[in-house]
Amino acid sequence: MNAGLLERKTAIITGAGSGMGKAAAKLFAAQGANVVLADLNKEAADQTAQEIDHSGQVLVIQTDVGDDESVQNLVNETFNHFDDIDVLINCAGVPQFFTPIEEMSIGEWDKIMSVNTKSIFLTTRYLVPYMKKREKGSIVNIASIAGIRARPGLNAYCASKGAAIMLTKALALELAPFKIRVNAINPGPAETPMLGKFLPGDAQQVEEDKKKIFIDSVPLGTLIKPEDIAQAALYLASDLSKAVTGEIMNVDGGRGI
Ligand SMILES: NC(=O)c1ccc[n+]([C@@H]2O[C@H](COP(=O)([O-])OP(=O)(O)OC[C@H]3O[C@@H](n4cnc5c(N)ncnc54)[C@H](O)[C@@H]3O)[C@@H](O)[C@H]2O)c1
């Protein structure tokens, strides 16, 4: 791999305490970026910071990505510390436990929409003024293959990711005149703590269902690794993809075909 693809760049990564966000934080730091680790779970983000083998600086900011004030604080603190921003990876997300629509609570629906979709609106809203002034920026939204290929019982989750995909395209067009690129990644079923949370049953049942429901639906026959998503995010964050915007990249082992 090329060394230093993100030298002298500053990246905010939400959901950096676990799974794909954690893998992206480690990879981006190894590629020379200053990284801001934003997660609701501060302990987990601190743990990521400790595991980082970096040449740049690391800043942990406890953030609720669905909360207006908390996101404003994330952006203000990033600028107080680094006075710059190049990359935003919107990776924080919550799953949905398989639920028939008539049993879906309004509170749960709102939470999924808030963390998975409104978060992209909020982070972009507060970062874009800085990016516009400097005429640079790469925003990468981690959506899901569930945003284009539905599963029964994942009504809110699929809707939240479908909206994230369309928001990505709308923002790509809106922000192109300012040299700000906006892309999304659709991960397929991935080996992270989130995957089991979609499924009912005890631990053994969950492991069996993971195979039956998720692995068997992937043509390449294996779950996606968080590092697979981090590599794709690195491409979209870096200048390697300087001609790419509005792209929705499936990193899904063929699940979306
Ligand atoms: N795991 C999969 O199979 C899969 C598949 C497709 C898409 N995705 C998406 O990929 C992204 C990363 O998922 P993952 O599998 O790495 O999940 P994960 O559960 O391992 O990590 C998610 C992180 O987001 C954080 N988070 C949750 N709510 C938050 C909030 N309100 N504010 C800030 N941080 C919050 C959690 O603390 C956690 O650290 C998510 O958007 C998810 O929807 C996951």
Side-chain angles (χ1 to χ4, degrees):
M1 164 172 325
N2 298 330
L5 281 172
L6 298 178
E7 253 3 290
R8 289 180 299 282
K9 291 193 193 281
T10 299
I12 294 176
I13 301 163
T14 75
S18 177
M20 300 170 196
K22 180 173 186 162
K26 289 164 91 167
L27 180 62
F28 283 24
Q31 290 287 329
N34 295 323
V35 286
V36 180
L37 314 182
D39 203 294
L40 191 57
N41 184 340
K42 168 115 176 24
E43 236 173 77
D46 283 337
Q47 179 59 37
T48 301
Q50 278 182 24
E51 291 176 29
I52 276 178
D53 178 16
H54 58 91
S55 53
Q57 294 181 56
V58 183
L59 182 66
V60 172
I61 304 176
Q62 186 173 29
T63 308
D64 179 350
V65 294
D67 181 78
D68 184 21
E69 266 181 41
S70 184
V71 173
Q72 282 189 61
N73 177 63
L74 167 66
V75 171
N76 291 340
E77 287 293 306
T78 299
F79 272 85
N80 288 343
H81 197 88
F82 292 115
D83 192 32
D84 206 7
I85 187 69
D86 297 277
V87 175
L88 164 66
I89 309 291
N90 278 309
C91 192
V94 284
Q96 176 186 353
F97 192 67
F98 276 56
T99 313
I101 192 69
E102 69 276 22
E103 290 171 22
M104 186 67 185
S105 77
I106 289 167
E108 190 59 13
W109 176 277
D110 286 345
K111 181 182 169 194
I112 290 168
M113 288 296 170
S114 174
V115 181
N116 293 357
T117 313
K118 185 180 164 198
S119 58
I120 299 175
F121 158 58
L122 290 177
T123 51
T124 309
R125 180 176 201 275
Y126 291 114
L127 272 178
V128 150
Y130 296 98
M131 288 180 166
K132 277 187 174 176
K133 265 192 216 139
R134 296 163 198 222
E135 294 218 324
K136 62 172 185 174
S138 172
I139 299 171
V140 181
N141 299 322
I142 309 302
S144 172
I145 203 65
I148 58 169
R149 198 155 178 220
R151 282 186 192 277
L154 296 191
N155 33 62
Y157 187 79
C158 291
S160 73
K161 295 300 187 177
I165 289 167
M166 206 55 208
L167 180 55
T168 299
K169 293 187 188 187
L171 291 173
L173 268 188
E174 180 180 323
L175 299 174
F178 305 96
K179 310 291 176 228
I180 302 166
R181 300 186 295 109
V182 190
N183 294 288
I185 296 171
N186 285 341
E191 249 174 77
T192 73
M194 180 180 286
L195 191 61
K197 296 181 191 156
F198 287 102
L199 299 165
D202 59 19
Q204 192 193 333
Q205 185 64 46
V206 164
E207 281 315 305
E208 281 169 21
D209 284 351
K210 261 194 207 174
K211 167 144 182 45
K212 211 167 47 206
I213 296 175
F214 292 122
I215 303 179
D216 289 354
S217 73
V218 176
L220 284 180
T222 178
L223 292 177
I224 309 306
K225 300 239 178 311
E227 291 74 19
D228 297 325
I229 304 306
Q231 303 269 8
L234 174 63
Y235 167 70
L236 291 172
S238 76
D239 295 338
L240 286 179
S241 62
K242 65 183 171 23
V244 179
T245 196
E247 176 63 16
I248 312 299
M249 186 190 286
N250 294 351
V251 182
D252 67 339
R255 157 84 184 143
I257 298 167

